[in-house]
Amino acid sequence: LIGRALGRLFMGLLLSTDIGIQAEWLSTTDNKLADLISRFTGQNIDYDFSRLIVDYPQLKVCRRFVPSASLLKLLHSTLLGRCSPDPMALRKLKPIDLGVLIG
């Protein structure tokens, strides 16, 4: 149910944009860096993410997304309330309302 609610949230955010999604499965060997920084093990559960660029210099060209308070509130209510947000209300949100890219 949470996955569906998040899917509806995502769909609602895409309604008023020209953005589309094209995705495919990647093997762990092809996606090694993403696996290293996104999966916690006993050794890295307390990882300091401010060290990412030091530990993985190839990420220097990447920008970081900082979500807005309104997006965090929306995600929080979707996850904890287990309810789907209203797609028509989401449609009114502008990209700047969701957060900013820095770096």
Side-chain angles (χ1 to χ4, degrees), residues 69-86:
S70 61
L71 178 58
L72 291 174
K73 182 180 177 185
L74 186 58
L75 287 167
H76 185 264
S77 64
T78 301
L79 290 170
L80 293 182
R82 296 181 183 214
C83 60
S84 299
D86 176 13

Side-chain angles (χ1 to χ4, degrees), residues 3-25:
R4 286 184 185 174
L6 287 173
R8 289 186 182 109
L9 168 74
F10 185 59
M11 179 270 315
L13 293 173
L14 293 177
L15 275 175
S16 62
T17 70
D18 293 331
I19 298 172
I21 300 299
Q22 180 178 355
E24 61 185 65
W25 177 83

